[in-house]
Amino acid sequence: MASASALEKLESRAAAAESLIKLLKSQIAEAKGVGNARELSSLQNENSELKKELETWKTRLIQAQKNNGKTVFYEDMPSAKSAGQPTAVTENKSAAAAPSGPAPKAAPAAKAAPEKEKKPKKEKKESAPKAPAEPEAPIDVGRLDMRVGHIRSAKKHPDADSLYVEEVDVGEEKPRTVISGLVKFIPEADMQDRMAVLLCNLKPSKMRGIMSEAMVMCASTPDKVEILSPPPGSKPGDLVQVEGFTRNPDAQLNPKKKIFEACAPDLSVNGDKEACYKGTKWTVNGQPVVSQTLVNVVVK
């Protein structure tokens, strides 16, 4: 069996022969151009001899490839004699470079990655049906949290001459701070230690830097204002009731809903000095809430 070096030598000589044929063809063409018939005949003979030699080397090369177990690339190619021109004698480089011997074993196929276990989908818990929203209570005096309060003390607001700052007990753990614009109508001395009716579920608001947490209810005219008085024997925290209107006050009145503003036009004092809502008396423990002297006026 021919060695790899012998095979390479054969291939090299075949390539050299082909190059020589090309050179001769070129010389023949030149000879034709100058009309040298003798030289042309000699070249043709030499060319014929070279073709024969090429066929011989080609046959040896094919046989060497078969002996080495290589794929034969030249066996089915037309010979230089039949084609009338030289054929390039080349071999696939990768095939030539491949070492002889048994073919390497195919690498074992990579193991398929184990499929991830699919987690079972969590069943959606059926949400309990929502309870239907309670219908909003009608807008009337029952939404107002009016209570008896005890004004323990009052003093002028440090930053507003027309306002009092009061400390008022409305039946809770701590007294509330209340700001009232009563300086022009009620002397400071008359604001001390007195009973009153307060609206306790307004949204707290700052008045000149001090938070006011309720409103003192008063009978009012442009020229005179009187604090409404609960009946004798009332205690801080006692509730104001209006017959015919269920007392169900909001925890805090929503300013956007303007509930107090809707009720205010129907708050008044009748001809008997009794505070009323739509003509029905306010009562504490069954007794009316009254003004001191004003009648047929609004309550603010």
Side-chain angles (χ1 to χ4, degrees):
M1 185 178 291
S3 64
S5 60
L7 179 62
E8 289 179 3
K9 187 175 181 180
L10 287 172
E11 290 176 350
S12 176
R13 294 188 67 176
E18 186 176 352
S19 298
L20 183 56
I21 289 170
K22 288 182 179 179
L23 177 61
L24 289 172
K25 284 175 67 74
S26 175
Q27 290 176 350
I28 289 169
E30 290 179 4
K32 283 181 180 179
V34 298
N36 192 339
R38 183 180 298 178
E39 188 177 357
L40 176 62
S41 176
S42 175
L43 288 172
Q44 285 176 338
N45 291 333
E46 190 175 350
N47 187 27
S48 178
E49 291 297 325
L50 285 170
K51 285 180 180 179
K52 290 178 183 180
E53 187 179 356
L54 177 62
E55 288 297 325
T56 301
W57 285 110
K58 178 179 175 183
T59 302
R60 291 180 182 180
L61 177 61
I62 291 170
Q63 188 60 43
Q65 287 177 328
K66 287 180 178 180
N67 293 341
N68 281 283
K70 290 188 175 183
T71 303
V72 177
F73 293 97
Y74 302 98
E75 200 166 25
D76 297 330
M77 293 175 62
S79 65
K81 186 180 288 185
S82 62
Q85 59 182 12
T87 304
V89 182
T90 57
E91 184 180 0
N92 188 298
K93 290 183 180 179
S94 61
S100 61
K105 294 183 180 179
K111 291 184 180 179
E115 292 185 3
K116 292 183 180 179
E117 293 184 5
K118 293 183 179 179
K119 294 183 180 179
K121 291 183 179 180
K122 293 183 180 179
E123 294 183 2
K124 291 183 178 179
K125 294 182 181 180
E126 293 184 4
S127 55
K130 292 182 179 180
E134 294 183 6
E136 188 172 357
I139 296 177
D140 58 34
V141 73
R143 304 278 292 274
L144 308 183
D145 183 13
M146 293 192 290
R147 305 183 219 164
V148 172
H150 174 218
I151 301 175
R152 294 179 176 178
S153 63
K155 58 185 178 182
K156 288 185 179 180
H157 193 296
D159 297 322
D161 294 337
S162 61
L163 301 178
Y164 284 127
V165 180
E166 302 136 24
E167 182 184 284
V168 185
D169 178 7
V170 291
E172 298 169 338
E173 286 187 17
K174 295 181 179 180
R176 295 196 186 193
T177 299
V178 180
I179 310 295
S180 302
L182 298 174
V183 172
K184 294 179 182 179
F185 303 102
I186 301 173
E188 187 173 344
D190 292 343
M191 292 291 298
Q192 313 302 319
D193 189 24
R194 65 175 298 169
M195 303 301 287
V197 173
L198 286 98
L199 178 58
C200 295
N201 62 342
L202 289 173
K203 183 178 180 179
S205 61
K206 275 189 177 182
M207 300 181 71
R208 294 293 185 90
I210 298 177
M211 191 69 73
S212 180
E213 301 171 305
M215 182 173 76
V216 177
M217 304 303 289
C218 299
S220 180
T221 70
D223 302 318
K224 190 173 183 179
V225 175
E226 294 177 350
I227 294 175
L228 293 176
S229 299
S234 299
K235 301 184 297 297
D238 284 350
L239 306 179
V240 175
Q241 307 279 356
V242 180
E243 189 176 355
F245 297 93
T246 302
R247 192 178 194 282
N248 185 27
D250 294 25
Q252 186 178 99
L253 295 176
N254 186 340
K256 293 181 180 180
K257 294 184 178 180
K258 299 188 180 297
I259 294 171
F260 175 72
E261 289 79 357
C263 296
D266 295 311
L267 302 176
S268 63
V269 173
N270 64 17
D272 295 325
K273 300 188 291 186
E274 297 167 333
C276 300
Y277 174 73
K278 292 187 176 181
T280 302
K281 294 184 290 184
W282 303 4
T283 62
V284 176
N285 301 323
Q287 300 298 314
V289 174
V290 298
S291 65
Q292 282 77 56
T293 61
L294 293 174
V295 295
N296 300 320
V297 298
V298 297
V299 173
K300 291 185 179 179

